[in-house]
Amino acid sequence: MSQSEGAVGTYKKWDFDARMEVEKQDRRKVPKGVLSLLAFSPERAITLLYVLLALAFVLFTTLAIVNLQRVSAAWEALEQARTRSENSHATAWHNLSEVQHALDQQLSAELEVIHSRLLNVSREVENARWKMTQCKAGCGKELSDRVRVLEERDTLEPVLRQLAEVKQEQSRASALLDAALEGTRNLSEILCTSCPAGWQQFAKTCYFFSDTTKPWPSAADFCAGFNAHLAVIDSEQENKFLANHIMGNRVFWLGLTDAHKEGDWQWVDGRSLSLTFWNSGEPNNVGHHGEDCVTIYSSGHWNDATCSNSEAWICERSC
C-alpha cells in the first residue's frame, strides 16, 4: 500500500467518526418524549390520536351539559319570577276591582238617599206652591173687595190716598206671589219627581232594564212604544250607573249604531259619538254580517255586535 492510499483511508475513518459524534450530539438535544414518539409505529400514533379526540369530545360534552344545566336553571328562575309577577298583577287588579265595585255601590246608595231627600223637597215645594196659589186667589179677592168698598165711598182725599196705598200693596203682593210661583215652577222642573213603575232613576232621567232579549231593532221599537229610546250615554257617571245595574255576564243593547255608514257611530237621538268606553280591541266589526250595534257589559265597557243578536236592552226617557 502506498502512502497516499493510507492517508485516504485514515481520512474516511475520521470522517465517519465525526458524523457519528454529530448524530450523538443531535440525539442529546432532542427531548425524550419526541424520541419516544418517533419510536412509535404509525398504528400506535393513530390510536393515540383517537384517544386524544375521544377525551376532547368527552370534555366538550361535559362542558356543554354543565352550561345547559346552568341555562335551564336560569330560565326556570326567570319563569318563576314571571309567574310571581303575573300573580301579583292579577291579585292587585282583583283588589282594585273589588275596591271600585265597593265605591260604586256606596255611591249608588248615597245617590239613592239624595234622591229620596230631593223627592221630599219636591213634594214640599209643590205643597208650598199650591198654598201660595190659594193665598194669591184669596188675598187678591180680599184686596179687590177692599178696593171696591173704598171706591164706592165718597171721594175724599184721605180715602183716595188710602185707596192708592191699597192698590200699591196689592201690586207688590201680586208681584211677590208671581215671583215665588215662578221659583217653585223652576225648582219642580229641575227635580225629577217620579218615574214609571219598574224604571230606575238617575239625575233627571228614567231607565228601563229589560228581563227578556230582543234583536236591536225590536228593542228600539219597544222603547219607542213608551215614548223613550235606547240608552244614550253622556257622561262617565251615567255609564257607571248603567253598569252597576247589570248583573253577572249579561249584556244590554245601547242606542249606538253605525248601520248607516261603517265606522260612523251615532246615537239614536242623532248625535255623533264623542265619549267612548270601548273594550280592548273593539270595535272590530267581525263576522260575515258585520257588527253595527253596541252592547254594554257589567264592567262598563262597550262591544260592537251583530244587530240581529238577541240581547237584553236599556230604554231611556225624561222624567
Side-chain angles (χ1 to χ4, degrees):
M1 179 183 298
S2 65
Q3 187 177 358
S4 60
E5 288 177 350
V8 170
T10 303
Y11 174 77
K12 288 181 179 180
K13 183 178 180 181
W14 177 85
D15 185 56
F16 177 76
D17 292 339
R19 285 201 304 270
M20 291 297 293
E21 186 66 24
V22 170
E23 287 179 359
K24 289 180 179 180
Q25 293 177 357
D26 290 340
R27 289 193 186 97
R28 294 191 192 100
K29 293 178 181 180
V30 177
K32 293 182 179 181
V34 175
L35 290 176
S36 60
L37 288 175
L38 293 176
F40 288 164
S41 65
E43 290 79 4
R44 295 181 64 186
I46 292 173
T47 301
L48 179 62
L49 180 60
Y50 283 157
V51 171
L52 292 176
L53 288 175
L55 291 175
F57 177 76
V58 170
L59 179 61
F60 175 78
T61 303
T62 303
L63 291 176
I65 292 173
V66 171
N67 288 330
L68 286 175
Q69 289 177 346
R70 290 178 179 177
V71 170
S72 177
W75 182 259
E76 184 177 355
L78 287 174
E79 285 294 322
Q80 292 177 355
R82 184 179 64 83
T83 303
R84 288 194 297 269
S85 176
E86 290 179 352
N87 293 337
S88 300
H89 183 270
T91 302
W93 181 255
H94 178 70
N95 293 337
L96 180 61
S97 298
E98 289 185 347
V99 170
Q100 181 181 3
H101 184 66
L103 291 176
D104 288 341
Q105 288 182 339
Q106 182 179 359
L107 179 60
S108 298
E110 293 176 354
L111 288 174
E112 289 292 334
V113 173
I114 293 173
H115 173 249
S116 177
R117 293 177 180 175
L118 288 176
L119 285 178
N120 294 333
V121 172
S122 178
R123 295 189 184 99
E124 293 177 0
V125 169
E126 288 293 332
N127 293 333
R129 185 173 68 173
W130 180 81
K131 291 179 180 179
M132 283 189 289
T133 303
Q134 296 296 322
C135 178
K136 180 179 180 182
C139 295
K141 185 176 183 302
E142 181 181 353
L143 290 173
S144 298
D145 292 340
R146 291 176 60 186
V147 170
R148 187 169 55 254
V149 170
L150 290 174
E151 287 177 344
E152 291 174 353
R153 294 181 180 179
D154 296 333
T155 57
L156 298 176
E157 185 176 352
V159 176
L160 291 176
R161 284 198 302 269
Q162 186 179 5
L163 178 62
E165 292 175 358
V166 170
K167 286 184 177 181
Q168 290 179 357
E169 182 182 352
Q170 183 183 19
S171 298
R172 287 194 300 269
S174 180
L176 290 173
L177 286 172
D178 289 338
L181 288 173
E182 184 64 24
T184 57
R185 187 179 300 109
N186 294 336
L187 184 58
S188 296
E189 292 177 356
I190 294 174
L191 298 176
C192 180
T193 57
S194 62
C195 285
W199 292 60
Q200 303 294 326
Q201 180 186 339
F202 176 77
K204 293 178 60 179
T205 308
C206 300
Y207 298 89
F208 173 77
F209 294 81
S210 73
D211 294 326
T212 59
T213 60
K214 293 178 181 291
W216 191 90
S218 300
D221 293 340
F222 177 92
C223 294
F226 286 86
N227 194 25
H229 55 73
L230 287 173
V232 174
I233 295 177
D234 298 318
S235 66
E236 183 178 359
Q237 290 75 17
E238 183 180 11
N239 195 73
K240 285 185 177 180
F241 169 79
L242 298 181
N244 287 338
H245 284 77
I246 298 175
M247 297 294 104
N249 296 324
R250 301 186 68 194
V251 297
F252 286 75
W253 287 124
L254 295 177
L256 184 62
T257 178
D258 70 342
H260 58 286
K261 181 180 178 182
E262 180 60 34
D264 183 17
W265 295 98
Q266 289 190 355
W267 295 105
V268 290
D269 61 0
R271 287 181 293 169
S272 298
L273 181 63
S274 57
L275 181 67
T276 63
F277 300 94
W278 293 112
N279 200 3
S280 177
E282 304 295 343
N284 53 14
N285 195 41
V286 301
H288 179 68
H289 298 289
E291 296 179 325
D292 298 327
C293 297
V294 176
T295 58
I296 182 173
Y297 296 105
S298 60
S299 63
H301 293 143
W302 301 351
N303 174 56
D304 59 336
T306 304
C307 298
S308 60
N309 290 352
S310 187
E311 305 289 356
W313 69 92
I314 305 173
C315 294
E316 172 184 339
R317 57 171 285 183
S318 299
C319 292

